[in-house]
Amino acid sequence: MRTLAVYQLKGGVGKTTTAVNLAALAARDNIRTLIWDLDPQGGSSWIFHADNGKQQDEFWRGKVPVGSLIRHTRIPRLDILPADMSLRKFHQRVDSRKEARQFMNDTLAALSETYGLIILDCPPLMTPQMEGVLRACDRILLPVQPSLLSIRAYQQIKDDFDWAKSKQWLPFVTMIDRRKPDHVRWVQQDLKEYPEFLNTFVGYSASAERMLHQRNPIVEDQPAVPLARNYRALWQTVKPLLNLR
């Protein structure tokens, strides 16, 4: 079993859109997949119509087993561990980075008996507890929009998470709008300063908004649109890097 965290310090860069579409594609590749929504906003949970009737906070306090929170989605071989607003207290329930990492390691080990891939939709937080969660993951996928604030946020993460090995670190350019000269110029010129970026790009598209209205991954509901093709290309790039068995 492998774990992929989709993480960014800046919000609004397509993190949840990336997580739900890659999860759907993995499931369609016959990989038993779990998407674990750790963001209190619960974007992934909402898209998949998932309401667990319980609070994830109960799991982090050791009150309920993780399996009791997992729900099936309409996509075969894809389950979800829904989020809720109790996750705002996450940093209070876990004392330290070390405790968060150990807790995640133990939980992921138990889930490995059921799933081949777990995708974490992470909140835009840089806390010791969040770092502990990320340290427990095999790969960290970082969507970076070619805007000043998004690039700055990426650099902050890169500087602070110097523990991450190069094989764990998977940044890629997302929401590139080719109508904007600054976006095009950054990709053509400045991106050369970041050789660690994947050679796969996800464009800006209004299809992402339609996905929210349909509450279904774009690769499922609108498979022919350019954004769906972008995510299929991203999955084909990321999949071999996960060393799935």
Side-chain angles (χ1 to χ4, degrees), residues 139-225:
R139 302 288 187 270
I140 305 171
L141 187 65
L142 301 106
V144 182
Q145 185 183 16
S147 67
L148 290 177
L149 288 179
S150 180
I151 297 163
R152 179 176 181 272
Y154 170 71
Q155 191 61 56
Q156 288 176 305
I157 300 167
K158 184 180 177 181
D159 292 343
D160 198 60
F161 293 175
D162 56 359
W163 48 265
K165 299 177 181 178
S166 59
K167 67 178 182 179
Q168 288 178 279
W169 202 248
L170 305 177
F172 71 100
V173 177
T174 188
M175 297 181 69
I176 176 174
D177 189 342
R178 299 187 184 279
R179 298 170 300 179
K180 295 183 177 182
D182 287 347
H183 281 206
V184 176
R185 183 168 52 253
W186 189 83
V187 170
Q188 292 179 343
Q189 300 177 14
D190 298 343
L191 186 57
K192 297 174 184 178
E193 300 175 14
Y194 301 90
E196 70 272 20
F197 271 60
L198 300 177
N199 291 320
T200 306
F201 302 87
V202 174
Y204 169 81
S205 173
S207 300
E209 289 296 324
R210 292 199 295 272
M211 182 193 79
L212 296 178
H213 287 291
Q214 298 296 329
R215 295 179 69 181
N216 205 23
I218 202 96
V219 296
E220 292 283 316
D221 196 58
Q222 305 171 67
V225 301

Side-chain angles (χ1 to χ4, degrees), residues 67-79:
S68 69
L69 302 178
I70 294 172
R71 297 291 178 265
H72 298 303
T73 73
R74 293 179 293 182
I75 299 174
R77 295 174 296 279
L78 177 58
D79 294 340

Side-chain angles (χ1 to χ4, degrees), residues 35-82:
I35 182 166
W36 187 340
D37 194 348
L38 283 167
D39 193 332
Q41 296 184 70
S44 294
S45 306
W46 188 81
I47 289 170
F48 285 119
H49 303 261
D51 179 8
N52 59 22
K54 297 181 180 180
Q55 293 189 330
Q56 208 177 125
D57 183 53
E58 295 178 358
F59 161 71
W60 289 102
R61 289 189 295 156
K63 298 290 185 179
V64 298
V66 67
S68 69
L69 302 178
I70 294 172
R71 297 291 178 265
H72 298 303
T73 73
R74 293 179 293 182
I75 299 174
R77 295 174 296 279
L78 177 58
D79 294 340
I80 184 165
L81 203 168

Side-chain angles (χ1 to χ4, degrees), residues 7 10 28 33 42-43 54 56 62 74 93 117 133-134 139 146 149 164 172 179 198 206 237 241 243:
Y7 174 74
K10 185 183 182 301
R28 290 301 182 189
T33 303
K54 297 181 180 180
Q56 208 177 125
R74 293 179 293 182
R93 302 305 184 199
L117 175 64
V133 168
L134 294 172
R139 302 288 187 270
L149 288 179
F172 71 100
R179 298 170 300 179
L198 300 177
T237 299
L241 300 176
N243 299 320

